[in-house]
Amino acid sequence: MNQNFGAVLATSQGKILYSKNPDKEFIPASTLKLLTSLGAIYYLGENFSFKTDFFIDDNLNLTIKGYGDPLLTSEAIKQISDKLAYILKQKKNFSIKAIIIDDTFFALSLKIPGRGVSSNPYDAPSGAFCANFNTVSFQYSKKKIYVSGEKETPLLGFTQKRINASGLEHGRITLSKNESRVYAGMLIKYFLNLNGIQVTGKVKNGVAADKKTLILTYRSNYDLNDIIKKLLNYSNNFIANQLLLTIGAKAFTPPGTIEKGVKALTDYSKKNIGTEHTKIAEGSGLSRKNRTTPRDMLKILLKFKEYHLLMKKNGAEYFKTGTLNGIRTRAGYFTDREKNLYPFVIMVNSKGDGYSDIKKKLFNLVKERQ
């Protein structure tokens, strides 16, 4: 068994049954998302849902004010566009001029530690008004042309060159920062046109004019528990850092920044959970500058117990994994016949076998108590 690891197993009340290097600092990888989730619940509240505001000014420009909704998909944007078209037609407006994206609720010069510039979805940029996790799905059709990989999402022309360059028959490309700032607005334009509302101007970034009228506030269908469940089950880095930026804006003042989010989450972790050796660089676990100990992660798990049903489940285990190159981590709860929870942490920060053996050993310790 690999001896260079950290592990803890405890009872539901926190009595430690097994430990190995409990106070050694490790890179938590995506298990950090458990702490980000707790911070979001603390600062935003379980009933929180994201909103997006839509305004019309005197010149018939449509301004969209985003507040960081991480789950604005094509389905949601089509629903929004249908409502906007109905409202505009009621006002006898069958055309509008520019679509102005006001995405200043988050800082525009965001640099997320650990995020690269690859085309992988985990490197997608954050922003205050984004669609489809800032990625575009595509596939090669029987007609030997690229088409959208999602029936509800149109394949907009500006993505074609990037998709052609990928050389792949199917997959996803990640939008650049500049592309991501207008992509959701371009989808709004597309669906408005389908609804008979002509958009004569460009989709561009800007700030809402003073003389404007709020015509629609869209509230997400997902509350915070729904978002956290998706975050943990899909280990979505984009959702994690959208939450962190929103925490920063709520705990301090807009615009949301990584620095504000990190400070808010660190303050919460120390004061409300009692972590002593946890260092946070961002909210997803993608950065290798994140650090925690098995003992601190146990404290996080004890705090997270009432939300354990939001985690992935496999047999008698609720869990969150973390993986980076040379890093394997796992945190969660084993359950016994009486449904008691046994929080456990496994942190392997070196190459070599042993991860599965460690997990098996901890699970057997739980079985022996039955």
Side-chain angles (χ1 to χ4, degrees), residues 28-45 224 227-228 231-232 236-248 258 261-262 264-266 268-269 273 278 280-286 290 297 300 304 320:
S30 280
T31 58
L32 183 71
K33 291 180 173 74
L34 295 170
L35 177 57
T36 302
S37 298
L38 284 172
I41 292 168
Y42 176 78
Y43 285 106
L44 306 177
L224 190 55
I227 295 170
I228 289 172
L231 165 65
L232 298 181
N236 190 296
N237 295 328
F238 175 80
I239 294 176
N241 279 315
Q242 291 291 104
L243 286 177
L244 185 73
L245 290 162
T246 306
I247 289 169
I258 291 295
V262 165
L265 191 56
T266 300
Y268 163 75
S269 184
I273 301 179
T278 297
I280 304 165
E282 45 81 47
S284 72
L286 192 58
N290 294 311
M297 184 57 70
I300 293 167
F304 198 80
K320 179 72 194 80

Side-chain angles (χ1 to χ4, degrees), residues 236-358:
N236 190 296
N237 295 328
F238 175 80
I239 294 176
N241 279 315
Q242 291 291 104
L243 286 177
L244 185 73
L245 290 162
T246 306
I247 289 169
K250 179 67 182 291
F252 300 102
T253 56
T257 67
I258 291 295
E259 292 77 13
K260 290 177 184 177
V262 165
K263 177 170 172 45
L265 191 56
T266 300
D267 289 348
Y268 163 75
S269 184
K270 288 182 177 179
K271 295 175 183 177
N272 295 74
I273 301 179
T275 56
E276 299 176 5
H277 303 285
T278 297
K279 301 177 181 68
I280 304 165
E282 45 81 47
S284 72
L286 192 58
S287 173
R288 290 175 177 268
K289 292 182 180 179
N290 294 311
R291 291 287 191 279
T292 193
T293 64
R295 194 185 303 277
D296 273 5
M297 184 57 70
L298 172 62
K299 294 177 181 179
I300 293 167
L301 287 167
L302 290 170
K303 191 78 171 178
F304 198 80
K305 273 193 310 181
E306 62 182 297
Y307 306 106
H308 73 276
L309 293 176
L310 301 178
M311 300 172 75
K312 268 189 176 181
K313 184 178 187 295
N314 183 22
E317 179 191 11
Y318 295 89
F319 66 97
K320 179 72 194 80
T321 59
T323 305
L324 294 170
N325 187 23
I327 307 293
R328 291 193 71 183
T329 60
R330 195 179 191 97
Y333 312 88
F334 294 124
T335 59
D336 61 17
R337 294 192 193 98
E338 285 72 40
K339 307 300 181 183
N340 295 310
L341 297 176
Y342 290 81
F344 73 91
V345 181
I346 303 170
M347 293 186 168
V348 180
N349 277 193
S350 62
K351 293 182 179 181
D353 297 329
Y355 175 90
S356 298
D357 292 336
I358 300 163

Side-chain angles (χ1 to χ4, degrees), residues 3 30 54 89 146 218 223 319 323:
Q3 294 300 310
S30 280
F54 297 82
K89 288 176 181 178
Y146 282 114
Y218 169 77
D223 64 19
F319 66 97
T323 305

Side-chain angles (χ1 to χ4, degrees), residues 47-92:
N47 295 324
F48 172 83
S49 62
F50 282 91
K51 72 171 184 174
T52 308
D53 287 333
F54 297 82
F55 305 88
I56 284 288
D57 66 24
D58 293 344
N59 295 316
L60 291 182
N61 294 306
L62 174 68
T63 298
I64 305 170
K65 175 78 173 178
Y67 296 92
D69 189 344
L71 295 178
L72 274 178
T73 60
S74 295
E75 297 98 319
I77 288 177
K78 184 181 183 304
Q79 291 173 11
I80 291 169
S81 301
D82 291 346
K83 291 180 181 178
L84 284 172
Y86 176 80
I87 292 168
L88 290 168
K89 288 176 181 178
Q90 290 292 104
K91 297 177 180 292
K92 307 301 182 184

Side-chain angles (χ1 to χ4, degrees), residues 130-323:
C130 301
N132 297 324
F133 311 104
N134 278 334
T135 64
V136 177
S137 175
F138 64 90
Q139 60 186 5
Y140 206 55
S141 74
K142 293 179 181 179
K143 296 181 180 180
K144 297 185 178 181
I145 59 172
Y146 282 114
V147 296
S148 176
E150 301 165 337
K151 64 178 182 179
E152 64 278 359
T153 304
L155 195 60
L156 301 180
F158 80 95
T159 64
Q160 198 74 45
K161 185 181 295 185
R162 298 265 309 281
I163 291 171
N164 290 341
S166 74
L168 300 173
E169 291 191 359
H170 61 85
R172 284 186 180 272
I173 60 166
T174 299
L175 299 175
S176 70
K177 177 63 178 178
N178 288 336
E179 290 169 341
S180 72
R181 293 187 64 199
V182 295
Y183 178 57
M186 293 174 76
L187 289 175
I188 293 280
K189 179 179 178 178
Y190 174 88
F191 288 119
L192 282 178
N193 285 332
L194 288 184
N195 274 285
I197 302 295
Q198 184 181 11
V199 181
T200 61
K202 295 182 178 180
V203 178
K204 59 185 180 179
N205 298 109
V207 178
D210 291 335
K211 294 182 179 180
K212 61 186 187 299
T213 302
L214 178 68
I215 60 170
L216 176 66
T217 293
Y218 169 77
R219 283 280 178 184
S220 173
N221 294 324
Y222 301 102
D223 64 19
L224 190 55
N225 282 343
D226 297 326
I227 295 170
I228 289 172
K229 188 167 186 175
K230 290 180 181 295
L231 165 65
L232 298 181
N233 278 263
Y234 297 103
S235 200
N236 190 296
N237 295 328
F238 175 80
I239 294 176
N241 279 315
Q242 291 291 104
L243 286 177
L244 185 73
L245 290 162
T246 306
I247 289 169
K250 179 67 182 291
F252 300 102
T253 56
T257 67
I258 291 295
E259 292 77 13
K260 290 177 184 177
V262 165
K263 177 170 172 45
L265 191 56
T266 300
D267 289 348
Y268 163 75
S269 184
K270 288 182 177 179
K271 295 175 183 177
N272 295 74
I273 301 179
T275 56
E276 299 176 5
H277 303 285
T278 297
K279 301 177 181 68
I280 304 165
E282 45 81 47
S284 72
L286 192 58
S287 173
R288 290 175 177 268
K289 292 182 180 179
N290 294 311
R291 291 287 191 279
T292 193
T293 64
R295 194 185 303 277
D296 273 5
M297 184 57 70
L298 172 62
K299 294 177 181 179
I300 293 167
L301 287 167
L302 290 170
K303 191 78 171 178
F304 198 80
K305 273 193 310 181
E306 62 182 297
Y307 306 106
H308 73 276
L309 293 176
L310 301 178
M311 300 172 75
K312 268 189 176 181
K313 184 178 187 295
N314 183 22
E317 179 191 11
Y318 295 89
F319 66 97
K320 179 72 194 80
T321 59
T323 305

